[in-house]
């Protein structure tokens, strides 16, 4: 099953770091991502699609 999560940050590097930290903690595999810059709020927003590396493990709620 593919799961979806969103992240945001002032810099694109902040978003990248948050995604990497999440995937390392969750032990997940990134399937797809999209990054959008919101000029009105002056932030970057990312939507990722990922899957759990071991689906038999309990899903982590973050």
């Amino acid at each position: 099953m593919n799961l979806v999560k969103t992240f945001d940050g002032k810099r694109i590097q902040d978003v990248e770091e948050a995604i990497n930290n999440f995937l390392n903690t969750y032990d997940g595999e990134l399937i797809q991502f999209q990054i959008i810059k919101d000029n009105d709020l002056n932030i970057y927003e990312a939507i990722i699609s990922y899957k759990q590396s071991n689906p038999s493990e309990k899903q982590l709620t973050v």
Side-chain angles (χ1 to χ4, degrees):
M1 172 174 49
N2 293 349
L3 305 166
V4 176
K5 183 157 178 64
T6 60
F7 299 88
D8 61 58
K10 292 283 186 185
R11 299 177 317 140
I12 200 162
Q13 293 85 354
D14 297 335
V15 174
E16 179 183 14
E17 184 178 325
I19 291 170
N20 287 334
N21 289 340
F22 171 75
L23 291 173
N24 287 334
T25 300
Y26 187 76
D27 193 24
E29 179 183 340
L30 181 63
I31 297 170
Q32 178 180 341
F33 70 95
Q34 180 178 12
I35 296 179
I36 302 166
K37 182 175 183 184
D38 186 329
N39 288 324
D40 294 334
L41 298 175
N42 198 27
I43 62 171
Y44 290 92
E45 297 177 300
I47 300 170
I48 69 167
S49 177
Y50 65 98
K51 67 180 181 178
Q52 189 173 5
S53 293
N54 184 353
S56 63
E57 291 179 8
K58 184 179 176 184
Q59 181 176 350
L60 176 67
T61 304
V62 178

